[in-house]
């Protein structure tokens, strides 16, 4: 046990005592991104931190078969935090867990471990993979039918009760848990809302997304409202996306930033885009894993349909947001196809830096100027409705 691990362990035990924590929820996800877990009492917390807690892995989708079902959940001390909507007396906390096999080996089917392995590869190349997330969802009157809670629109400030209050309470609860929110607002469709989580390293962001989804659902349920992250719960209106803002840092430096480039996007950033474009169909299998996901990815509803990138258009698959002068950290790449029903640990692994960087020589070794958008470079005079045929001719295709 390292000094840092010992300090984190001691912090958890001390904080639990100081805040009268009696129950600790141990969280992990199945392969599809469903939050799973169980609770232990404070009396067993020290033992859980040292030795993990055994459970039946065969009960979790994608984990193990019945004859190899024994698993152990090892709480990550860095993820300890109180659940603020629960009582302060006999309080409840949570920790995310890493799943191991009985003899201590890392379980390769644990989505959190899959992401860790990918981040380790990026770290070996000298990079930290940072992600910001725009989390879209709907509030409905109940879980049995998609009955809308309000009929307001984008950025509307007159959101009907209780939607605006639910967003407010969600932001406050997340802040208490150490999860900063950059924006919250009504989205474009009736009863659709968005909460944007401040960018951080990819593992923390995946944990934060799983937490935010639970907080949104829990607080809605307390008001007899149903929150859903279904990609397309209602036809003929926009579906819900999970737009990912990605960047690679080396220490404090954003490696996607280049002061000498017309669009301030470095060669590394362009290489990253090239990798995303090349692997977009395969990535989509992970970031859009449900049949309902493809009811969202259709023309006319602001969701990406084609494998494309741009600096301006908000309906493309990949967008490079405008540079904010003096804010080098603001240069990033927005990947817009994922939906909030995906498993974020696997989604971030599918868009991993190492996979994108593998296309450096293939995509940029031809001495050509980099276009400002894929569409404008190949088909400057064509309208969006006529893009399907040219896309196919140039080896580009719809996402599905």
């Amino acid at each position: 046990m390292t000094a840092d691990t010992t300090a984190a362990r001691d912090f958890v035990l001390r904080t639990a005592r100081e805040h009268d924590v009696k129950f600790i929820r141990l969280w992990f996800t199945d392969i599809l991104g469903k939050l799973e877990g169980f609770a232990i009492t404070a009396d067993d917390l020290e033992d859980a931190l040292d030795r993990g807690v055994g459970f039946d892995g065969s009960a979790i989708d994608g984990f193990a078969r019945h004859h190899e079902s024994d698993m152990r959940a090892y709480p990550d001390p860095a993820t300890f935090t109180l659940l603020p909507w629960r009582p302060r007396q006999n309080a409840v906390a949570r920790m995310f867990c890493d799943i191991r096999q009985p003899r201590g080996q890392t379980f390769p089917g644990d989505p959190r471990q899959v992401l860790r392995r990918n981040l380790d590869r990026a770290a070996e190349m000298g990079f930290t993979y940072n992600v910001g997330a725009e989390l879209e969802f709907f509030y409905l009157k109940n879980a049995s039918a998609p009955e809308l809670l309000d009929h307001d629109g984008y950025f509307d400030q007159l959101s009907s009760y209780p939607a605006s209050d639910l967003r407010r309470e969600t932001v406050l609860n997340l802040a208490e848990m150490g999860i900063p929110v950059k924006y919250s607002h009504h989205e474009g469709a009736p009863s659709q809302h968005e909460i944007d989580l401040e960018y951080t390293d990819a593992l923390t962001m995946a944990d934060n997304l799983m937490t935010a989804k639970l907080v949104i659902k829990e607080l809605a349920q307390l008001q007899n409202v149903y929150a859903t992250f279904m990609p397309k719960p209602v036809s003929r209106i926009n579906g819900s996306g999970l737009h990912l803002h990605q960047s690679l840092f080396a220490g404090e430096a954003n490696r996607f930033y280049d002061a000498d480039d017309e669009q301030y996007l470095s060669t590394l950033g362009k290489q990253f885009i090239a990798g995303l474009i090349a692997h977009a169909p395969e990535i989509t299998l992970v970031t859009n894993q449900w049949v309902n996901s493809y009811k969202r990815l259709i023309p006319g509803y602001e969701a990406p349909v084609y494998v494309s990138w741009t600096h301006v258009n908000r309906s493309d698959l990949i967008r490079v947001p405008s540079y904010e002068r003096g804010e080098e950290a603001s240069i990033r790449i927005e990947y817009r196809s994922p939906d909030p029903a995906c498993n974020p640990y696997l989604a971030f692994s599918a868009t991993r830096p190492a996979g994108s960087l593998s296309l450096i020589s293939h995509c940029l070794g031809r001495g050509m100027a980099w276009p400002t958008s894929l569409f404008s470079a190949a088909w400057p005079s064509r309208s969006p409705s006529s893009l399907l045929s040219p896309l196919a001719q140039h080896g580009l295709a719809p996402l599905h």
Side-chain angles (χ1 to χ4, degrees), residues 72 79 89 179 190 198 309-310 314:
R72 297 194 73 81
T79 65
Q89 185 177 7
I179 301 175
E198 191 75 54
W309 80 280
T310 183
R314 290 179 177 266

Side-chain angles (χ1 to χ4, degrees), residues 78-367:
T79 65
F80 180 88
T81 189
L82 273 66
L83 303 185
W85 66 91
R86 301 297 295 157
R88 298 293 180 175
Q89 185 177 7
N90 295 326
V92 182
R94 69 93 161 113
M95 282 189 284
F96 281 95
C97 295
D98 296 313
I99 308 303
R100 299 183 192 173
Q101 295 168 328
R103 295 185 179 180
Q105 315 97 308
T106 297
F107 174 53
D110 174 16
R112 201 166 188 263
Q113 288 297 323
V114 172
L115 180 56
R116 278 191 188 275
R117 292 197 296 272
N118 279 278
L119 297 181
D120 287 344
R121 294 190 190 107
E124 289 171 2
M125 302 173 73
F127 297 122
T128 299
Y129 178 38
N130 290 329
V131 182
E134 300 178 20
L135 178 61
E136 298 174 351
F137 57 95
F138 280 84
Y139 286 129
L140 304 176
K141 290 186 178 180
N142 57 66
S144 59
E147 190 175 353
L148 301 175
L149 194 66
D150 67 63
H151 294 276
D152 300 313
Y154 195 66
F155 278 6
D156 203 315
Q157 293 299 295
L158 298 176
S159 298
S160 59
Y161 175 84
S164 58
D165 286 345
L166 284 173
R167 282 205 320 267
R168 174 182 179 275
E169 289 302 313
T170 297
V171 172
L172 292 174
N173 275 264
L174 290 174
E176 282 195 56
M177 300 180 76
I179 301 175
V181 172
K182 188 172 184 179
Y183 303 116
S184 66
H185 59 86
H186 199 290
E187 249 297 335
S191 211
Q192 186 184 37
H193 301 264
E194 177 175 311
I195 289 179
D196 296 358
L197 302 182
E198 191 75 54
Y199 85 96
T200 184
D201 67 276
L203 183 64
T204 301
M205 178 54 68
D207 291 343
N208 288 352
L209 277 168
M210 295 306 304
T211 301
K213 289 167 67 173
L214 182 84
V215 171
I216 289 167
K217 279 187 168 288
E218 288 268 10
L219 296 182
Q221 185 173 297
L222 291 174
Q223 296 294 328
N224 296 315
V225 172
Y226 182 71
T228 180
F229 301 96
M230 189 175 180
K232 187 82 168 183
V234 183
S235 62
R236 295 186 292 278
I237 61 175
N238 290 358
S240 291
L242 176 65
H243 302 166
L244 303 179
H245 294 257
Q246 306 167 85
S247 58
L248 289 177
F249 274 63
E252 297 298 318
N254 182 1
R255 292 297 305 276
F256 282 179
Y257 173 77
D258 182 354
D260 297 325
D261 183 77
E262 181 181 359
Q263 300 292 338
Y264 301 98
L265 182 65
S266 69
T267 297
L268 184 67
K270 296 168 185 176
Q271 292 163 352
F272 195 96
I273 291 173
L276 292 175
I277 288 173
H279 292 300
E282 293 83 3
I283 292 172
T284 303
L285 294 173
V286 179
T287 58
N288 307 83
Q289 63 183 352
W290 304 98
V291 171
N292 185 257
S293 298
Y294 298 90
K295 296 182 179 181
R296 167 179 166 257
L297 300 179
I298 59 175
Y301 295 97
E302 299 183 17
V305 179
Y306 302 112
V307 181
S308 60
W309 80 280
T310 183
H311 278 280
V312 181
N313 195 333
R314 290 179 177 266
S315 63
D316 282 74
L317 172 65
I318 299 167
R319 186 177 76 95
V320 182
S322 299
Y323 168 62
E324 301 171 19
R325 188 166 297 278
E327 296 290 336
E328 296 181 9
S330 68
I331 292 294
R332 61 198 186 276
I333 293 168
E334 180 184 359
Y335 196 70
R336 303 184 65 262
S337 67
D339 63 55
C342 72
N343 184 327
Y345 301 99
L346 300 184
F348 297 167
S349 297
T351 57
R352 68 189 182 279
S356 297
L357 293 173
S358 68
L359 288 115
I360 292 175
S361 59
H362 174 72
C363 297
L364 290 176
R366 303 179 183 179

